[in-house]
Amino acid sequence: MNVLITGGAGFIGSHLAGPLLDAGHTVTSVDDLSTGSLGNIEHLRRRSHFHFVREDIRNEQTMAVLVDRADVIFHLAAAVGVQLIVEKPVHTIETNIHGSEVVLNLANKFARKIFLASTSEVYGKSTKVPFNEDGDSLLGSTRFTRWSYACSKMVDEFLALAYHEQYGLPVVVLRFFNTIGPRQSGAYGMVVPRFVQAALRDEPLLVYGSGEQSRCFCNVADVVSALLKLMDCPQAIGEVINVGSEESITIEALAAKVIAMTGSESTIKRLSYEEAYGRAFDDMLVRRPDLGKVRRLIGFEPRYSLEQTLTQVIEFERSRLKETK
Ligand code: UDP
Protein backbone atom coordinates (compact mmCIF):
# COMPACT_ATOMS: atom_id res chain seq x y z
CA MET A 1 0.00 0.00 0.00
CA ASN A 2 0.92 3.65 -0.31
CA VAL A 3 0.79 5.12 3.17
CA LEU A 4 0.73 8.86 3.88
CA ILE A 5 1.89 10.03 7.32
CA THR A 6 1.22 13.68 8.19
CA GLY A 7 3.63 14.85 10.86
CA GLY A 8 5.93 12.10 9.64
CA ALA A 9 9.09 13.81 10.92
CA GLY A 10 7.66 14.12 14.40
CA PHE A 11 8.26 11.82 17.32
CA ILE A 12 5.41 9.31 16.86
CA GLY A 13 5.27 9.65 13.05
CA SER A 14 8.95 8.79 12.72
CA HIS A 15 8.46 5.66 14.85
CA LEU A 16 5.43 4.62 12.79
CA ALA A 17 7.23 4.71 9.42
CA GLY A 18 9.76 1.93 10.23
CA PRO A 19 7.24 -0.89 10.87
CA LEU A 20 5.21 0.18 7.81
CA LEU A 21 8.31 -0.01 5.58
CA ASP A 22 9.22 -3.37 7.17
CA ALA A 23 5.76 -4.66 6.20
CA GLY A 24 6.49 -3.78 2.55
CA HIS A 25 4.50 -0.55 2.23
CA THR A 26 5.63 2.65 0.54
CA VAL A 27 5.62 5.53 3.00
CA THR A 28 5.29 9.22 2.18
CA SER A 29 5.92 11.46 5.10
CA VAL A 30 4.74 15.07 5.03
CA ASP A 31 5.95 17.54 7.63
CA ASP A 32 6.64 21.27 7.77
CA LEU A 33 9.46 20.66 10.29
CA SER A 34 7.91 23.16 12.74
CA THR A 35 8.43 20.75 15.64
CA GLY A 36 9.53 17.65 13.71
CA SER A 37 13.09 17.38 12.40
CA LEU A 38 15.12 15.83 9.60
CA GLY A 39 17.21 14.17 12.32
CA ASN A 40 14.14 12.10 13.30
CA ILE A 41 13.90 10.57 9.81
CA GLU A 42 17.58 10.38 8.85
CA HIS A 43 17.56 6.57 9.21
CA LEU A 44 14.40 6.31 7.07
CA ARG A 45 15.63 8.47 4.20
CA ARG A 46 18.18 5.78 3.31
CA ARG A 47 15.34 3.32 2.65
CA SER A 48 14.09 3.05 -0.94
CA HIS A 49 10.33 3.10 -0.30
CA PHE A 50 10.42 6.17 1.93
CA HIS A 51 9.66 9.65 0.60
CA PHE A 52 9.71 12.94 2.43
CA VAL A 53 7.77 16.07 1.44
CA ARG A 54 8.36 19.31 3.34
CA GLU A 55 5.01 21.03 3.39
CA ASP A 56 2.40 22.57 5.65
CA ILE A 57 -0.69 20.30 5.77
CA ARG A 58 -2.84 23.40 5.30
CA ASN A 59 -1.60 23.64 1.69
CA GLU A 60 -4.62 22.06 0.02
CA GLN A 61 -3.09 21.76 -3.46
CA THR A 62 -0.11 19.69 -2.39
CA MET A 63 -2.16 17.70 0.11
CA ALA A 64 -4.72 16.81 -2.59
CA VAL A 65 -1.97 15.21 -4.69
CA LEU A 66 -0.58 13.30 -1.69
CA VAL A 67 -3.98 12.08 -0.45
CA ASP A 68 -4.99 11.03 -3.97
CA ARG A 69 -1.84 8.88 -4.25
CA ALA A 70 -2.31 7.28 -0.82
CA ASP A 71 -4.32 4.17 0.08
CA VAL A 72 -4.42 5.06 3.76
CA ILE A 73 -3.60 8.16 5.83
CA PHE A 74 -2.16 8.49 9.30
CA HIS A 75 -2.88 12.06 10.40
CA LEU A 76 -0.46 12.95 13.18
CA ALA A 77 0.52 16.49 12.19
CA ALA A 78 -0.38 18.88 15.00
CA ALA A 79 1.02 21.58 17.23
CA VAL A 80 1.83 19.69 20.46
CA GLY A 81 3.64 20.28 23.73
CA VAL A 82 2.40 22.42 26.61
CA GLN A 83 5.28 24.90 26.28
CA LEU A 84 4.55 25.46 22.57
CA ILE A 85 0.82 25.83 23.19
CA VAL A 86 1.40 28.45 25.87
CA GLU A 87 3.93 30.36 23.76
CA LYS A 88 2.21 30.11 20.34
CA PRO A 89 -1.53 29.81 20.89
CA VAL A 90 -2.60 31.13 17.46
CA HIS A 91 -0.33 28.66 15.70
CA THR A 92 -1.70 25.78 17.82
CA ILE A 93 -5.35 26.54 17.22
CA GLU A 94 -4.97 27.22 13.49
CA THR A 95 -2.73 24.23 12.77
CA ASN A 96 -4.83 21.78 14.71
CA ILE A 97 -8.23 22.87 13.54
CA HIS A 98 -7.62 24.02 9.98
CA GLY A 99 -4.95 21.36 9.30
CA SER A 100 -7.29 18.53 10.26
CA GLU A 101 -10.11 20.15 8.34
CA VAL A 102 -8.01 20.05 5.14
CA VAL A 103 -6.81 16.47 5.66
CA LEU A 104 -10.24 15.05 6.64
CA ASN A 105 -11.96 16.84 3.76
CA LEU A 106 -9.49 15.37 1.26
CA ALA A 107 -9.67 11.88 2.79
CA ASN A 108 -13.44 12.10 2.32
CA LYS A 109 -13.15 13.42 -1.23
CA PHE A 110 -10.87 10.55 -2.28
CA ALA A 111 -12.57 8.02 0.06
CA ARG A 112 -9.39 7.05 1.93
CA LYS A 113 -9.30 5.36 5.32
CA ILE A 114 -7.84 7.74 7.87
CA PHE A 115 -6.37 7.60 11.33
CA LEU A 116 -6.61 10.74 13.50
CA ALA A 117 -4.31 11.32 16.47
CA SER A 118 -6.00 12.85 19.49
CA THR A 119 -4.96 13.24 23.08
CA SER A 120 -5.80 12.48 26.70
CA GLU A 121 -5.80 16.28 27.17
CA VAL A 122 -9.44 16.18 26.06
CA TYR A 123 -10.38 14.70 29.46
CA GLY A 124 -8.98 17.88 31.00
CA LYS A 125 -9.39 18.07 34.76
CA SER A 126 -11.99 15.33 34.97
CA THR A 127 -11.72 13.49 38.29
CA LYS A 128 -13.45 10.37 37.01
CA VAL A 129 -10.27 8.32 36.92
CA PRO A 130 -9.49 6.14 35.01
CA PHE A 131 -10.62 8.11 31.98
CA ASN A 132 -13.18 6.29 29.86
CA GLU A 133 -13.83 7.27 26.24
CA ASP A 134 -17.52 7.90 27.00
CA GLY A 135 -16.77 10.01 30.10
CA ASP A 136 -17.26 13.78 30.31
CA SER A 137 -14.48 16.27 29.59
CA LEU A 138 -13.77 19.03 32.10
CA LEU A 139 -11.80 21.85 30.54
CA GLY A 140 -10.79 25.00 32.41
CA SER A 141 -11.43 28.65 31.59
CA THR A 142 -10.45 30.13 28.20
CA ARG A 143 -8.21 32.41 30.30
CA PHE A 144 -5.79 29.46 30.35
CA THR A 145 -4.29 29.00 26.87
CA ARG A 146 -3.48 25.42 27.73
CA TRP A 147 -7.08 24.32 27.15
CA SER A 148 -7.04 25.56 23.57
CA TYR A 149 -5.07 22.44 22.67
CA ALA A 150 -7.67 20.08 24.20
CA CYS A 151 -10.41 22.12 22.60
CA SER A 152 -8.76 22.09 19.15
CA LYS A 153 -8.33 18.32 19.35
CA MET A 154 -11.97 17.90 20.42
CA VAL A 155 -13.02 19.83 17.33
CA ASP A 156 -10.85 17.44 15.26
CA GLU A 157 -12.54 14.46 16.89
CA PHE A 158 -16.01 15.91 16.28
CA LEU A 159 -15.15 16.56 12.65
CA ALA A 160 -13.73 13.06 12.09
CA LEU A 161 -16.81 11.46 13.70
CA ALA A 162 -19.09 13.75 11.69
CA TYR A 163 -17.44 12.67 8.42
CA HIS A 164 -17.94 9.07 9.50
CA GLU A 165 -21.60 9.62 10.45
CA GLN A 166 -22.59 11.75 7.53
CA TYR A 167 -20.51 10.32 4.68
CA GLY A 168 -19.37 6.91 5.95
CA LEU A 169 -15.68 7.94 5.94
CA PRO A 170 -13.66 5.16 7.63
CA VAL A 171 -11.94 6.95 10.53
CA VAL A 172 -10.16 5.64 13.63
CA VAL A 173 -9.40 8.11 16.44
CA LEU A 174 -6.88 7.39 19.21
CA ARG A 175 -6.33 9.37 22.38
CA PHE A 176 -2.65 9.09 23.28
CA PHE A 177 -1.63 9.28 26.95
CA ASN A 178 1.89 10.68 27.56
CA THR A 179 3.78 8.75 24.90
CA ILE A 180 7.55 8.64 25.44
CA GLY A 181 10.65 7.09 23.89
CA PRO A 182 13.88 7.84 22.05
CA ARG A 183 13.87 10.92 19.75
CA GLN A 184 11.17 12.80 21.71
CA SER A 185 12.14 16.45 21.98
CA GLY A 186 12.07 18.27 25.29
CA ALA A 187 11.94 21.64 23.57
CA TYR A 188 8.15 21.95 23.63
CA GLY A 189 7.46 20.88 27.21
CA MET A 190 7.58 17.08 27.44
CA VAL A 191 8.79 16.14 30.88
CA VAL A 192 10.72 12.90 30.30
CA PRO A 193 13.31 14.11 27.77
CA ARG A 194 13.70 17.30 29.82
CA PHE A 195 14.42 15.39 33.03
CA VAL A 196 16.80 12.95 31.33
CA GLN A 197 18.73 15.72 29.57
CA ALA A 198 19.04 17.72 32.80
CA ALA A 199 20.15 14.65 34.78
CA LEU A 200 22.84 13.74 32.24
CA ARG A 201 24.24 17.28 32.54
CA ASP A 202 24.01 17.24 36.36
CA GLU A 203 21.67 20.23 36.14
CA PRO A 204 18.62 20.65 38.42
CA LEU A 205 15.44 18.82 37.39
CA LEU A 206 12.63 21.38 37.43
CA VAL A 207 9.46 19.96 39.00
CA TYR A 208 6.47 22.21 38.40
CA GLY A 209 3.74 22.69 41.02
CA SER A 210 3.54 20.29 43.96
CA GLY A 211 5.11 17.39 42.07
CA GLU A 212 2.19 15.29 43.32
CA GLN A 213 0.50 15.34 39.88
CA SER A 214 0.67 11.89 38.29
CA ARG A 215 0.91 10.55 34.75
CA CYS A 216 1.13 7.16 33.02
CA PHE A 217 3.93 7.06 30.44
CA CYS A 218 3.70 4.64 27.53
CA ASN A 219 6.48 3.48 25.21
CA VAL A 220 6.11 4.78 21.65
CA ALA A 221 6.70 1.23 20.30
CA ASP A 222 3.61 0.02 22.20
CA VAL A 223 1.60 2.96 20.91
CA VAL A 224 2.67 2.34 17.29
CA SER A 225 1.90 -1.36 17.51
CA ALA A 226 -1.60 -0.62 18.88
CA LEU A 227 -2.15 1.97 16.19
CA LEU A 228 -1.26 -0.45 13.37
CA LYS A 229 -3.48 -3.21 14.80
CA LEU A 230 -6.42 -0.84 15.24
CA MET A 231 -6.17 0.32 11.63
CA ASP A 232 -6.63 -3.35 10.65
CA CYS A 233 -9.54 -3.86 13.03
CA PRO A 234 -12.98 -3.29 11.39
CA GLN A 235 -14.64 -2.72 14.79
CA ALA A 236 -12.34 0.26 15.44
CA ILE A 237 -13.84 2.28 12.57
CA GLY A 238 -15.83 5.26 13.80
CA GLU A 239 -14.48 4.80 17.34
CA VAL A 240 -12.46 6.95 19.74
CA ILE A 241 -10.00 4.75 21.65
CA ASN A 242 -7.58 5.36 24.55
CA VAL A 243 -4.04 4.05 24.13
CA GLY A 244 -1.45 4.27 26.88
CA SER A 245 -0.13 2.62 29.98
CA GLU A 246 -1.75 2.17 33.39
CA GLU A 247 1.54 2.40 35.30
CA SER A 248 1.17 5.64 37.24
CA ILE A 249 3.93 7.80 38.73
CA THR A 250 4.02 11.25 40.32
CA ILE A 251 6.28 13.83 38.65
CA GLU A 252 8.33 14.15 41.87
CA ALA A 253 8.89 10.35 41.90
CA LEU A 254 9.73 10.45 38.20
CA ALA A 255 12.42 13.06 38.85
CA ALA A 256 13.91 10.94 41.65
CA LYS A 257 13.83 7.83 39.45
CA VAL A 258 15.60 9.57 36.55
CA ILE A 259 18.31 10.87 38.92
CA ALA A 260 18.81 7.37 40.39
CA MET A 261 18.84 5.62 37.00
CA THR A 262 21.37 8.03 35.48
CA GLY A 263 23.58 8.11 38.61
CA SER A 264 23.35 11.90 38.32
CA GLU A 265 24.40 14.52 40.85
CA SER A 266 21.40 16.65 39.92
CA THR A 267 19.02 18.01 42.53
CA ILE A 268 15.27 18.50 42.28
CA LYS A 269 14.16 22.12 42.10
CA ARG A 270 10.54 23.11 42.59
CA LEU A 271 9.03 25.81 40.40
CA SER A 272 5.54 27.24 40.64
CA TYR A 273 3.56 27.08 37.40
CA GLU A 274 3.78 30.88 37.24
CA GLU A 275 7.57 30.66 37.37
CA ALA A 276 7.64 27.84 34.82
CA TYR A 277 5.27 29.34 32.24
CA GLY A 278 5.42 33.03 33.11
CA ARG A 279 1.68 33.06 33.82
CA ALA A 280 -1.06 31.30 35.77
CA PHE A 281 -1.47 27.70 34.69
CA ASP A 282 -4.11 25.02 35.16
CA ASP A 283 -2.72 21.46 35.48
CA MET A 284 -4.51 18.16 35.99
CA LEU A 285 -3.62 16.20 39.10
CA VAL A 286 -4.25 12.68 37.86
CA ARG A 287 -4.28 11.26 34.36
CA ARG A 288 -4.82 7.54 33.83
CA PRO A 289 -6.50 5.71 30.95
CA ASP A 290 -9.26 3.14 31.06
CA LEU A 291 -7.87 0.56 28.61
CA GLY A 292 -10.99 -1.64 28.51
CA LYS A 293 -11.90 -0.71 24.95
CA VAL A 294 -8.48 -1.20 23.35
CA ARG A 295 -8.13 -4.52 25.22
CA ARG A 296 -11.49 -5.71 23.87
CA LEU A 297 -10.65 -4.63 20.32
CA ILE A 298 -7.07 -5.89 19.90
CA GLY A 299 -6.06 -7.48 23.24
CA PHE A 300 -3.67 -4.56 23.88
CA GLU A 301 -1.12 -4.86 26.71
CA PRO A 302 1.94 -2.57 26.85
CA ARG A 303 5.13 -4.60 26.53
CA TYR A 304 7.46 -2.05 28.12
CA SER A 305 7.55 -0.97 31.76
CA LEU A 306 8.35 2.64 32.62
CA GLU A 307 11.79 1.53 33.82
CA GLN A 308 12.56 -0.19 30.49
CA THR A 309 11.40 2.84 28.51
CA LEU A 310 13.41 5.23 30.67
CA THR A 311 16.48 3.03 30.07
CA GLN A 312 15.95 3.45 26.30
CA VAL A 313 15.53 7.22 26.60
CA ILE A 314 18.61 7.55 28.83
CA GLU A 315 20.73 5.51 26.36
CA PHE A 316 19.47 7.62 23.46
CA GLU A 317 20.13 10.95 25.20
CA ARG A 318 23.58 9.74 26.36
CA SER A 319 24.67 8.96 22.82
CA ARG A 320 23.23 12.25 21.56
CA LEU A 321 25.15 14.13 24.23
CA LYS A 322 28.39 12.35 23.22
CA GLU A 323 27.84 13.34 19.57
CA THR A 324 27.49 17.01 20.47
CA LYS A 325 30.62 17.03 22.63
N1 UDP B 1 6.59 19.09 34.13
C1 UDP B 1 7.57 19.37 35.06
N2 UDP B 1 8.80 19.81 34.61
C2 UDP B 1 9.08 19.98 33.27
C3 UDP B 1 8.07 19.67 32.33
C4 UDP B 1 6.83 19.24 32.80
O1 UDP B 1 7.36 19.24 36.28
O2 UDP B 1 10.21 20.35 32.95
C5 UDP B 1 5.28 18.58 34.63
C6 UDP B 1 4.06 19.26 34.01
O3 UDP B 1 3.68 20.39 34.77
C7 UDP B 1 3.02 18.14 34.08
C8 UDP B 1 3.83 16.86 33.91
O4 UDP B 1 5.19 17.21 34.22
O5 UDP B 1 2.37 18.13 35.33
C9 UDP B 1 3.78 16.26 32.53
O6 UDP B 1 4.10 17.27 31.60
P1 UDP B 1 4.20 17.05 30.03
O7 UDP B 1 4.35 18.40 29.41
O8 UDP B 1 5.23 16.04 29.72
O9 UDP B 1 2.81 16.40 29.61
P2 UDP B 1 1.29 16.74 30.01
O10 UDP B 1 0.88 15.56 30.85
O11 UDP B 1 1.23 18.02 30.75
O12 UDP B 1 0.59 16.78 28.70
Side-chain angles (χ1 to χ4, degrees), residues 146 178 189-191 194 206 208 213 215 251 283 287:
R146 182 217 180 112
N178 293 80
M190 281 69 167
V191 69
R194 280 168 106 94
L206 306 178
Y208 304 163
Q213 68 273 34
R215 298 291 187 268
I251 298 304
D283 205 3
R287 178 189 279 166

Side-chain angles (χ1 to χ4, degrees), residues 81-83 119-121 146 149 177-178 180 184 186 188-195 205-209 211 213-215 217 251-252 254 269 271 273 276-277 281 283-285 287:
V82 171
Q83 194 83 38
T119 166
S120 55
E121 276 276 317
R146 182 217 180 112
Y149 174 59
F177 280 71
N178 293 80
I180 58 166
Q184 184 172 39
Y188 308 103
M190 281 69 167
V191 69
V192 166
R194 280 168 106 94
F195 279 4
L205 274 62
L206 306 178
V207 170
Y208 304 163
Q213 68 273 34
S214 66
R215 298 291 187 268
F217 296 95
I251 298 304
E252 175 87 25
L254 175 74
K269 189 175 165 198
L271 284 190
Y273 291 113
Y277 297 111
F281 187 78
D283 205 3
M284 67 275 296
L285 271 181
R287 178 189 279 166

Side-chain angles (χ1 to χ4, degrees), residues 67-310:
V67 170
D68 186 18
R69 275 193 212 143
D71 297 298
V72 58
I73 301 149
F74 289 88
H75 176 42
L76 294 138
V80 297
V82 171
Q83 194 83 38
L84 180 75
I85 287 144
V86 170
E87 282 165 15
K88 290 184 168 178
V90 174
H91 168 79
T92 303
I93 298 167
E94 288 186 352
T95 307
N96 294 354
I97 295 185
H98 186 51
S100 295
E101 203 181 345
V102 168
V103 176
L104 282 165
N105 179 275
L106 289 169
N108 189 51
K109 185 171 165 193
F110 294 102
R112 302 293 191 258
K113 187 169 186 178
I114 179 164
F115 160 82
L116 176 94
S118 186
T119 166
S120 55
E121 276 276 317
V122 303
Y123 293 106
K125 298 183 287 183
S126 167
T127 49
K128 281 193 192 149
V129 182
F131 295 153
N132 179 277
E133 292 89 344
D134 292 331
D136 294 337
S137 296
L138 181 64
L139 305 188
S141 159
T142 50
R143 194 160 67 83
F144 300 110
T145 314
R146 182 217 180 112
W147 302 117
S148 67
Y149 174 59
C151 204
S152 70
K153 277 291 167 188
M154 281 176 93
V155 171
D156 290 355
E157 287 193 17
F158 277 127
L159 192 60
L161 296 175
Y163 270 111
H164 176 68
E165 279 273 319
Q166 211 173 320
Y167 302 111
L169 179 70
V171 294
V172 176
V173 180
L174 296 199
R175 288 182 180 162
F176 296 142
F177 280 71
N178 293 80
T179 306
I180 58 166
R183 295 204 289 274
Q184 184 172 39
S185 164
Y188 308 103
M190 281 69 167
V191 69
V192 166
R194 280 168 106 94
F195 279 4
V196 171
Q197 285 160 12
L200 292 177
R201 294 190 172 97
D202 291 325
E203 290 167 2
L205 274 62
L206 306 178
V207 170
Y208 304 163
S210 69
E212 287 305 307
Q213 68 273 34
S214 66
R215 298 291 187 268
C216 300
F217 296 95
C218 188
N219 191 300
V220 64
D222 283 326
V223 169
V224 162
S225 122
L227 165 48
L228 291 170
K229 283 190 190 139
L230 286 163
M231 279 299 266
D232 276 338
C233 170
Q235 292 79 20
I237 294 175
E239 296 291 331
V240 174
I241 307 153
N242 289 339
V243 172
S245 152
E246 291 167 324
E247 190 183 343
S248 183
I249 188 166
T250 66
I251 298 304
E252 175 87 25
L254 175 74
K257 196 173 180 69
V258 168
I259 290 174
M261 285 180 71
T262 49
S264 168
E265 286 171 21
S266 292
T267 54
I268 294 176
K269 189 175 165 198
R270 285 277 175 73
L271 284 190
S272 68
Y273 291 113
E274 284 78 3
E275 285 170 311
Y277 297 111
R279 67 188 74 197
F281 187 78
D282 214 8
D283 205 3
M284 67 275 296
L285 271 181
V286 181
R287 178 189 279 166
R288 187 154 48 86
D290 177 338
L291 296 179
K293 194 170 187 177
V294 69
R295 279 203 182 102
R296 275 195 305 281
L297 287 170
I298 56 163
F300 176 73
E301 283 308 326
R303 279 180 303 148
Y304 297 94
S305 66
L306 174 62
E307 180 127 350
Q308 287 170 323
T309 310
L310 286 177

